[in-house]
Amino acid sequence: MSIPLILVGAGGMGRAWLQTIEAEPRAELAGVVDLDLDAARAALVEAGRTDVRVGSDAVALAQETGAQAVVNVTIPRAHHPVTTAALFAGLPVLSEKPVADTLPRALSLAAAAEVTGQLFMVSQSRRYNPQLFSLRAQAEGLGVAGALVTEFFKAPRFGGFRERMLHPLLLDMAIHPFDTARFLLGAEPVSVYCEEFNPPWSWYDGDAAATAIFEMDGGARFVYTGSWCSPGQETSWNGSWRLSAERGTATWDGDHEPVVEALEQGAAEQGALDEAVLDEVGTVPGEGIAGALAEFLDALAAGAGAAPGRSEGAGVVTPMGEVHENIMSLAMVEAAVESASRGGRVRVDEILENAWRQALAGESRDEVRERLAAWPSVRGALTAGARV
């Protein structure tokens, strides 16, 4: 039985999501919402689905069509109002990253999910990659991690807003490798030291290059070095990765299968590692946004709601990207930007607590403010029950 969905946003990414929904047999496109109704109609004409309803309000169109969930592909500053309205209307939400345009608004959404009991999942689409799942399984087989290093060097000429941003690399792209690092290490950030700079030939107004060193809980270090104005010998869009652990090293070029070299590993141990890798890769529900949609539908079918603190039935697993789990990736971005601005090491908990105070001060819904105020700590609220 398919689940009827409302797609909110008919721009470039909205059209990609429209195609993905159409290709998923368990999903039914019930309506498309955009402030520009002509854009919504044009997207449907392009897809050959002129029979689908359009509107300018997601909740209203869901009520008219009987849709049961929302896919939010609006611009970041619209994520908070669109998702909040859907959650309070009893509609689970799958949203494009980032969870919100600011960390305080992201915390507000986590509290709103708790208050309403509805699932809110963020599509961190680059996690849905079989090679990445393979690398994580190999990392687990190598024992305690010491250092995870990634390099990202590209030279895209986007034009438009990205070339005018103050922190183009950190704000628009770094959330992907930051999220990947959490996934690979199974660890959360403790602190960061970051430096930004802009090469003299850069076509960006803001700093288009950065290096960040994160301390992760458990003691491992994650080192990110990247540039968006580095022509020649470019890396994959997934970056180039190296993990150093107690029993060996694993590398991944971002486009092909990872390579592992384990020390003093016998045939039996290698066989066990190979089996673990196969099992891990077999858990990938799909690639890219198709994988995110598949996991969202799996979670809805299993009865998943808002973590943490919900009552889970047998077999119900919090999906990757559930709002509480995903916020830490956005916190890493904001902490890195703050560190670069200050010129010193920044504790992630400081960033989280400051954002929590701003969320409390700016929250317009009494029940959401009360839930935020009841959190014993931000980190505790985000990590309790979250799947990593």
Side-chain angles (χ1 to χ4, degrees), residues 202-230:
S202 173
W203 49 92
Y204 294 85
D205 290 351
D207 290 336
T211 294
I213 303 173
F214 286 91
E215 177 188 354
M216 309 296 286
D217 57 23
R221 296 303 191 269
F222 165 55
V223 182
Y224 168 82
T225 296
S227 172
W228 247 358
C229 54
S230 182

mmCIF file of all heavy atoms in Angstrom, residues 202-230:
data_model
loop_
_atom_site.group_PDB
_atom_site.id
_atom_site.type_symbol
_atom_site.label_atom_id
_atom_site.label_comp_id
_atom_site.label_asym_id
_atom_site.label_seq_id
_atom_site.Cartn_x
_atom_site.Cartn_y
_atom_site.Cartn_z
ATOM 1 N N SER A 202 40.712 33.518 -5.712
ATOM 2 C CA SER A 202 39.341 33.054 -5.484
ATOM 3 C C SER A 202 38.307 33.962 -6.148
ATOM 4 O O SER A 202 38.449 35.184 -6.172
ATOM 5 C CB SER A 202 39.060 32.984 -3.981
ATOM 6 O OG SER A 202 37.693 32.685 -3.747
ATOM 7 N N TRP A 203 37.263 33.354 -6.690
ATOM 8 C CA TRP A 203 36.142 34.104 -7.267
ATOM 9 C C TRP A 203 34.968 34.204 -6.283
ATOM 10 O O TRP A 203 33.883 34.603 -6.657
ATOM 11 C CB TRP A 203 35.695 33.463 -8.572
ATOM 12 C CG TRP A 203 35.476 31.977 -8.513
ATOM 13 C CD1 TRP A 203 34.306 31.318 -8.249
ATOM 14 C CD2 TRP A 203 36.467 30.974 -8.726
ATOM 15 N NE1 TRP A 203 34.509 29.966 -8.279
ATOM 16 C CE2 TRP A 203 35.827 29.711 -8.579
ATOM 17 C CE3 TRP A 203 37.843 30.991 -9.028
ATOM 18 C CZ2 TRP A 203 36.497 28.495 -8.714
ATOM 19 C CZ3 TRP A 203 38.515 29.790 -9.172
ATOM 20 C CH2 TRP A 203 37.842 28.557 -9.014
ATOM 21 N N TYR A 204 35.222 33.809 -5.014
ATOM 22 C CA TYR A 204 34.206 33.929 -3.959
ATOM 23 C C TYR A 204 34.477 35.171 -3.123
ATOM 24 O O TYR A 204 35.643 35.502 -2.844
ATOM 25 C CB TYR A 204 34.226 32.703 -3.054
ATOM 26 C CG TYR A 204 33.807 31.423 -3.737
ATOM 27 C CD1 TYR A 204 34.726 30.664 -4.463
ATOM 28 C CD2 TYR A 204 32.495 30.965 -3.652
ATOM 29 C CE1 TYR A 204 34.349 29.484 -5.090
ATOM 30 C CE2 TYR A 204 32.106 29.790 -4.276
ATOM 31 C CZ TYR A 204 33.036 29.058 -4.997
ATOM 32 O OH TYR A 204 32.653 27.902 -5.607
ATOM 33 N N ASP A 205 33.420 35.855 -2.684
ATOM 34 C CA ASP A 205 33.591 36.995 -1.792
ATOM 35 C C ASP A 205 34.040 36.548 -0.404
ATOM 36 O O ASP A 205 34.888 37.178 0.223
ATOM 37 C CB ASP A 205 32.275 37.777 -1.657
ATOM 38 C CG ASP A 205 31.906 38.523 -2.923
ATOM 39 O OD1 ASP A 205 32.739 38.576 -3.853
ATOM 40 O OD2 ASP A 205 30.774 39.052 -2.991
ATOM 41 N N GLY A 206 33.442 35.458 0.094
ATOM 42 C CA GLY A 206 33.792 34.937 1.413
ATOM 43 C C GLY A 206 34.904 33.919 1.331
ATOM 44 O O GLY A 206 35.372 33.552 0.240
ATOM 45 N N ASP A 207 35.345 33.449 2.502
ATOM 46 C CA ASP A 207 36.440 32.481 2.551
ATOM 47 C C ASP A 207 35.993 31.149 1.950
ATOM 48 O O ASP A 207 35.063 30.505 2.449
ATOM 49 C CB ASP A 207 36.892 32.270 4.001
ATOM 50 C CG ASP A 207 37.596 33.494 4.548
ATOM 51 O OD1 ASP A 207 38.126 34.278 3.744
ATOM 52 O OD2 ASP A 207 37.613 33.667 5.781
ATOM 53 N N ALA A 208 36.691 30.722 0.912
ATOM 54 C CA ALA A 208 36.310 29.521 0.173
ATOM 55 C C ALA A 208 37.183 28.324 0.510
ATOM 56 O O ALA A 208 37.071 27.277 -0.134
ATOM 57 C CB ALA A 208 36.370 29.783 -1.326
ATOM 58 N N ALA A 209 38.040 28.464 1.519
ATOM 59 C CA ALA A 209 38.902 27.355 1.936
ATOM 60 C C ALA A 209 38.938 27.312 3.461
ATOM 61 O O ALA A 209 38.809 28.348 4.129
ATOM 62 C CB ALA A 209 40.314 27.520 1.381
ATOM 63 N N ALA A 210 39.092 26.109 4.011
ATOM 64 C CA ALA A 210 39.080 25.967 5.470
ATOM 65 C C ALA A 210 39.755 24.670 5.881
ATOM 66 O O ALA A 210 39.772 23.690 5.130
ATOM 67 C CB ALA A 210 37.653 25.995 6.004
ATOM 68 N N THR A 211 40.295 24.687 7.093
ATOM 69 C CA THR A 211 40.777 23.476 7.758
ATOM 70 C C THR A 211 40.199 23.460 9.165
ATOM 71 O O THR A 211 40.251 24.473 9.873
ATOM 72 C CB THR A 211 42.309 23.434 7.829
ATOM 73 O OG1 THR A 211 42.844 23.321 6.510
ATOM 74 C CG2 THR A 211 42.786 22.236 8.656
ATOM 75 N N ALA A 212 39.616 22.325 9.542
ATOM 76 C CA ALA A 212 39.008 22.193 10.870
ATOM 77 C C ALA A 212 39.495 20.909 11.518
ATOM 78 O O ALA A 212 39.569 19.863 10.864
ATOM 79 C CB ALA A 212 37.486 22.184 10.764
ATOM 80 N N ILE A 213 39.824 20.988 12.801
ATOM 81 C CA ILE A 213 40.218 19.815 13.586
ATOM 82 C C ILE A 213 39.194 19.640 14.700
ATOM 83 O O ILE A 213 39.071 20.502 15.580
ATOM 84 C CB ILE A 213 41.619 19.980 14.187
ATOM 85 C CG1 ILE A 213 42.655 20.251 13.100
ATOM 86 C CG2 ILE A 213 42.005 18.735 15.002
ATOM 87 C CD1 ILE A 213 44.028 20.595 13.640
ATOM 88 N N PHE A 214 38.451 18.539 14.631
ATOM 89 C CA PHE A 214 37.443 18.235 15.641
ATOM 90 C C PHE A 214 37.959 17.177 16.608
ATOM 91 O O PHE A 214 38.516 16.162 16.182
ATOM 92 C CB PHE A 214 36.165 17.687 14.994
ATOM 93 C CG PHE A 214 35.332 18.709 14.287
ATOM 94 C CD1 PHE A 214 35.526 18.971 12.934
ATOM 95 C CD2 PHE A 214 34.346 19.415 14.968
ATOM 96 C CE1 PHE A 214 34.755 19.905 12.275
ATOM 97 C CE2 PHE A 214 33.570 20.358 14.308
ATOM 98 C CZ PHE A 214 33.774 20.609 12.957
ATOM 99 N N GLU A 215 37.771 17.418 17.898
ATOM 100 C CA GLU A 215 37.915 16.349 18.884
ATOM 101 C C GLU A 215 36.559 15.667 19.000
ATOM 102 O O GLU A 215 35.530 16.329 19.175
ATOM 103 C CB GLU A 215 38.323 16.907 20.237
ATOM 104 C CG GLU A 215 38.414 15.831 21.315
ATOM 105 C CD GLU A 215 38.634 16.373 22.713
ATOM 106 O OE1 GLU A 215 38.843 17.605 22.847
ATOM 107 O OE2 GLU A 215 38.563 15.571 23.679
ATOM 108 N N MET A 216 36.555 14.336 18.871
ATOM 109 C CA MET A 216 35.316 13.575 18.982
ATOM 110 C C MET A 216 35.293 12.854 20.322
ATOM 111 O O MET A 216 36.353 12.579 20.914
ATOM 112 C CB MET A 216 35.217 12.562 17.835
ATOM 113 C CG MET A 216 35.442 13.147 16.449
ATOM 114 S SD MET A 216 34.198 14.376 15.961
ATOM 115 C CE MET A 216 32.784 13.312 15.618
ATOM 116 N N ASP A 217 34.085 12.562 20.831
ATOM 117 C CA ASP A 217 34.053 11.821 22.087
ATOM 118 C C ASP A 217 34.680 10.448 21.849
ATOM 119 O O ASP A 217 34.555 9.855 20.790
ATOM 120 C CB ASP A 217 32.647 11.714 22.664
ATOM 121 C CG ASP A 217 31.635 11.063 21.725
ATOM 122 O OD1 ASP A 217 32.028 10.320 20.825
ATOM 123 O OD2 ASP A 217 30.433 11.303 21.914
ATOM 124 N N GLY A 218 35.421 9.972 22.828
ATOM 125 C CA GLY A 218 36.216 8.765 22.651
ATOM 126 C C GLY A 218 37.658 9.070 22.325
ATOM 127 O O GLY A 218 38.516 8.180 22.384
ATOM 128 N N GLY A 219 37.949 10.334 21.958
ATOM 129 C CA GLY A 219 39.334 10.757 21.780
ATOM 130 C C GLY A 219 39.820 10.856 20.351
ATOM 131 O O GLY A 219 40.900 11.422 20.108
ATOM 132 N N ALA A 220 39.115 10.325 19.373
ATOM 133 C CA ALA A 220 39.567 10.410 17.983
ATOM 134 C C ALA A 220 39.531 11.851 17.505
ATOM 135 O O ALA A 220 38.768 12.684 18.004
ATOM 136 C CB ALA A 220 38.711 9.526 17.086
ATOM 137 N N ARG A 221 40.370 12.142 16.510
ATOM 138 C CA ARG A 221 40.361 13.452 15.865
ATOM 139 C C ARG A 221 39.861 13.300 14.427
ATOM 140 O O ARG A 221 40.219 12.356 13.726
ATOM 141 C CB ARG A 221 41.765 14.064 15.848
ATOM 142 C CG ARG A 221 42.357 14.376 17.217
ATOM 143 C CD ARG A 221 41.463 15.310 18.016
ATOM 144 N NE ARG A 221 42.110 15.826 19.215
ATOM 145 C CZ ARG A 221 42.048 15.255 20.406
ATOM 146 N NH1 ARG A 221 41.386 14.120 20.575
ATOM 147 N NH2 ARG A 221 42.653 15.815 21.432
ATOM 148 N N PHE A 222 39.020 14.254 14.030
ATOM 149 C CA PHE A 222 38.554 14.333 12.650
ATOM 150 C C PHE A 222 39.101 15.616 12.059
ATOM 151 O O PHE A 222 38.879 16.711 12.582
ATOM 152 C CB PHE A 222 37.026 14.324 12.589
ATOM 153 C CG PHE A 222 36.470 14.769 11.256
ATOM 154 C CD1 PHE A 222 36.864 14.138 10.079
ATOM 155 C CD2 PHE A 222 35.565 15.823 11.183
ATOM 156 C CE1 PHE A 222 36.354 14.556 8.849
ATOM 157 C CE2 PHE A 222 35.051 16.238 9.960
ATOM 158 C CZ PHE A 222 35.456 15.605 8.786
ATOM 159 N N VAL A 223 39.859 15.485 10.967
ATOM 160 C CA VAL A 223 40.509 16.632 10.332
ATOM 161 C C VAL A 223 39.913 16.830 8.940
ATOM 162 O O VAL A 223 39.937 15.919 8.104
ATOM 163 C CB VAL A 223 42.033 16.432 10.220
ATOM 164 C CG1 VAL A 223 42.683 17.671 9.599
ATOM 165 C CG2 VAL A 223 42.639 16.129 11.588
ATOM 166 N N TYR A 224 39.387 18.013 8.710
ATOM 167 C CA TYR A 224 38.791 18.358 7.423
ATOM 168 C C TYR A 224 39.582 19.488 6.791
ATOM 169 O O TYR A 224 39.840 20.523 7.430
ATOM 170 C CB TYR A 224 37.340 18.808 7.620
ATOM 171 C CG TYR A 224 36.723 19.451 6.400
ATOM 172 C CD1 TYR A 224 36.204 18.676 5.374
ATOM 173 C CD2 TYR A 224 36.657 20.844 6.272
ATOM 174 C CE1 TYR A 224 35.635 19.259 4.246
ATOM 175 C CE2 TYR A 224 36.085 21.432 5.150
ATOM 176 C CZ TYR A 224 35.576 20.640 4.145
ATOM 177 O OH TYR A 224 35.023 21.223 3.034
ATOM 178 N N THR A 225 39.993 19.310 5.538
ATOM 179 C CA THR A 225 40.644 20.362 4.772
ATOM 180 C C THR A 225 39.966 20.443 3.414
ATOM 181 O O THR A 225 39.837 19.428 2.717
ATOM 182 C CB THR A 225 42.146 20.087 4.573
ATOM 183 O OG1 THR A 225 42.793 20.089 5.845
ATOM 184 C CG2 THR A 225 42.779 21.152 3.695
ATOM 185 N N GLY A 226 39.506 21.639 3.061
ATOM 186 C CA GLY A 226 38.792 21.759 1.804
ATOM 187 C C GLY A 226 38.947 23.110 1.160
ATOM 188 O O GLY A 226 39.332 24.098 1.797
ATOM 189 N N SER A 227 38.648 23.160 -0.132
ATOM 190 C CA SER A 227 38.666 24.403 -0.894
ATOM 191 C C SER A 227 37.676 24.302 -2.037
ATOM 192 O O SER A 227 37.567 23.256 -2.683
ATOM 193 C CB SER A 227 40.063 24.692 -1.449
ATOM 194 O OG SER A 227 40.021 25.802 -2.338
ATOM 195 N N TRP A 228 36.969 25.399 -2.288
ATOM 196 C CA TRP A 228 36.038 25.467 -3.408
ATOM 197 C C TRP A 228 36.621 26.292 -4.566
ATOM 198 O O TRP A 228 35.904 26.642 -5.496
ATOM 199 C CB TRP A 228 34.712 26.055 -2.946
ATOM 200 C CG TRP A 228 33.611 25.040 -3.007
ATOM 201 C CD1 TRP A 228 33.693 23.758 -3.449
ATOM 202 C CD2 TRP A 228 32.256 25.229 -2.612
ATOM 203 N NE1 TRP A 228 32.479 23.125 -3.352
ATOM 204 C CE2 TRP A 228 31.573 24.014 -2.838
ATOM 205 C CE3 TRP A 228 31.546 26.299 -2.079
ATOM 206 C CZ2 TRP A 228 30.219 23.837 -2.568
ATOM 207 C CZ3 TRP A 228 30.197 26.120 -1.807
ATOM 208 C CH2 TRP A 228 29.543 24.912 -2.050
ATOM 209 N N CYS A 229 37.906 26.592 -4.501
ATOM 210 C CA CYS A 229 38.557 27.308 -5.611
ATOM 211 C C CYS A 229 39.927 26.670 -5.856
ATOM 212 O O CYS A 229 40.954 27.331 -5.836
ATOM 213 C CB CYS A 229 38.656 28.798 -5.342
ATOM 214 S SG CYS A 229 39.438 29.235 -3.790
ATOM 215 N N SER A 230 39.917 25.349 -6.083
ATOM 216 C CA SER A 230 41.145 24.580 -6.253
ATOM 217 C C SER A 230 41.105 23.822 -7.587
ATOM 218 O O SER A 230 40.776 22.641 -7.633
ATOM 219 C CB SER A 230 41.318 23.598 -5.092
ATOM 220 O OG SER A 230 42.528 22.881 -5.222
#
